[in-house]
Every structure is written in structure tokens, then in C-alpha cells.
Amino acid sequence: MDIKSAVLQLSSIAQEARLEIFRLLVQAGPEGLPAGSIGETLQIPASTLSFHLKELSHAGLIHSRQVSRFIYYSANYEAMNGLLAYLTENCCAGAKDCAPSSICKPK
Amino acid sequence: MDIKSAVLQLSSIAQEARLEIFRLLVQAGPEGLPAGSIGETLQIPASTLSFHLKELSHAGLIHSRQVSRFIYYSANYEAMNGLLAYLTENCCAGAKDCAPSSICKPK
DNA sequence: ACTGTATTTCTATATTTATGGAAATATAGC
DNA sequence: GCTATATTTCCATAAATATAGAAATACAGT
């Protein structure tokens, strides 16, 4: 991963509403949740939510798929894993006792 | 760690210049580097650098200490470790095979 | 085709963040 | 106390980001 991708992904979760959205999707598991359900749970207006979902999608941290009239969003565990690995490597550069590169797996 | 602290810390490294600064300080080890040396290495004007260092300090990801006329900045490995632990927990909520909470240690 | 529901795009606005020169402050050596 | 160097603060400006209503689009059922 290059630094620009890392910054893009970090930016996408460096915002309270988006970090909450991401957490919610992680908790929701691989099936994810429809946009409306996310907005209802977190009390975010539809257009604002759409903006944030686009940011997260653009950074690659979430996926979306259409299920009839609903669009389901779900956490991209691999991408988050990659970001954590990048940060771990950067945090631990030159240090001993680092975690293995594979930190997180979807259930 | 609460979500606001996580967002603050993420924001502080969700910017290319600051992530570069942080990486450099991690590589430099616990002794850290004087501000001027950071600016020279990364080609960042003094006032801009000072702004970014303040952001990182405010988020708690770096320390500073005065050594004669120089101010040495160094990575706060514990804070970074805490952030990674928070993200790992949030990434892995409900998932098996998570990394241990202690991911990164200074050399 | 028409209707209702889900979501996005458009648009404007407010807010925050980044940049860097100039001036101010701090420290050390003479 | 003067001078040189290191760093920060002040300031203005530019650029990016966040917010949310209104309009547009997409889909499914009738």
C-alpha cells in the first residue's frame, strides 16, 4: 500500500459520522445493512448519509450491492486489514515484537 | 478509547505531510528528531511544519522535548498502539482470530 | 404506465483545514 | 546585552470537507 491510499482510507474514517457508519457495518457482519437502515440507526439525513457512504466506498473500505430496491452496504474487512497492516508496519518500523501482518479477519 | 479520541488521532495522520512526519519519527526511534531536521528531510516550510506538529501533538501521537536550542519530536508508540487496538477491536467486533490487543512496541 | 419507496445527485452554504511569509519568541554562545 | 539560530505564532488566503433540502433517478408491485 502506498501512502496516498493510506491517507485516503484514513481520511474516510477520520470523521465521526463515517467511523460510526463503519463500526455499525462491521458489527452487522458480511451481509451488511441497507442505506436507509444505517441512516435510521444513526439519525443521519439521506443525502448526508449518501455523501459519507460514497467517501467510504471511494476509499474502498466498504462495498455495496443492490438487493431489490435496497442497496446493502458492508464492511470490506480485507481493506481494513490492509490499512491496519500498513499502520502496524509504519508504527513498528525498526521495532521488534510486531504483530503479524494479518490482523483481522471477517467472521 | 472513545470515538472522538479515535477520530482526533485518525485525523492527525489522515494527511500526507503528517503521515510522512509520523513515519519519519517512527523510523527515527525513541530519541526522535529536531523540528528543523524533519522540515529539511521532508522539505516543509517551518511554519507549515509547526502547524502539522501541533496537530500531531494535540492528538497525542507525538511527544516533544527541548534539548538546548532544539525541540525534539518523537513518536508516541503507546498512543499509536492504542489507536491500532481500537481499530482492531472495531474491525474485528464479533469476528474470530483477532490480533492481541498489544500490537506494537517501541524498540 | 402509475404509485410508492429507496437512494443518489444537484446545489448552496457553512465550516474546517492547509499553506507559507512575516513577525515574535526562545535559547545559547560570545 | 548582542547576535545567530530554532521554532512558534500571527495573519491572510486558498482549498477541501460537511451538511441537508430539493429534485432526479432507480426499482418493484399493481
Side-chain angles (χ1 to χ4, degrees):
Chain A
M1 163 140 42
D2 65 352
I3 193 166
K4 288 187 194 301
S5 304
V7 166
L8 182 66
Q9 296 192 337
L10 286 168
S11 297
S12 80
I13 51 170
Q15 207 274 353
E16 193 165 341
R18 287 198 295 269
L19 189 51
E20 284 177 344
I21 292 167
F22 186 75
R23 288 181 65 178
L24 185 63
L25 291 178
V26 166
Q27 287 165 18
E31 321 82 49
L33 294 170
S37 169
I38 299 170
E40 194 181 12
T41 301
L42 300 179
Q43 288 294 306
I44 300 172
S47 63
T48 300
L49 176 66
S50 189
F51 167 78
H52 288 312
L53 289 171
K54 197 164 64 172
E55 294 286 302
L56 287 163
S57 290
H58 181 232
L61 283 180
I62 63 174
H63 296 125
S64 64
R65 69 183 201 283
Q66 182 121 22
V67 177
S68 104
R69 267 187 310 180
F70 304 87
I71 298 180
Y72 275 70
Y73 285 90
S74 53
N76 181 348
Y77 293 90
E78 285 185 11
M80 187 58 168
N81 195 353
L83 177 59
L84 287 169
Y86 177 89
L87 291 177
T88 300
E89 281 162 26
N90 279 268
C91 170
C92 296
K96 312 287 182 184
D97 300 320
C98 286
S101 61
S102 185
I103 293 167
C104 175
K105 289 169 187 164
K107 65 178 168 184
Chain B
M1 163 139 43
D2 64 352
I3 193 167
K4 288 187 194 300
S5 304
V7 166
L8 181 65
Q9 295 191 337
L10 286 169
S11 297
S12 78
I13 52 170
Q15 206 275 353
E16 192 165 341
R18 288 199 294 269
L19 188 50
E20 284 178 343
I21 292 167
F22 186 76
R23 287 181 66 177
L24 185 63
L25 291 178
V26 166
Q27 286 165 17
E31 322 82 49
L33 293 170
S37 169
I38 299 169
E40 194 181 11
T41 301
L42 300 179
Q43 288 294 309
I44 301 173
S47 63
T48 301
L49 176 65
S50 188
F51 168 79
H52 288 312
L53 289 172
K54 195 164 67 173
E55 293 285 303
L56 287 164
S57 290
H58 181 232
L61 283 180
I62 63 175
H63 296 125
S64 63
R65 69 183 201 285
Q66 183 124 18
V67 177
S68 106
R69 268 187 311 181
F70 304 87
I71 298 180
Y72 275 70
Y73 285 90
S74 54
N76 182 348
Y77 293 91
E78 286 185 11
M80 187 58 169
N81 194 354
L83 177 59
L84 287 170
Y86 177 89
L87 292 177
T88 300
E89 282 161 26
N90 278 269
C91 170
C92 294
K96 312 286 182 184
D97 299 320
C98 287
S101 62
S102 183
I103 293 167
C104 174
K105 290 170 186 164
K107 65 177 170 188

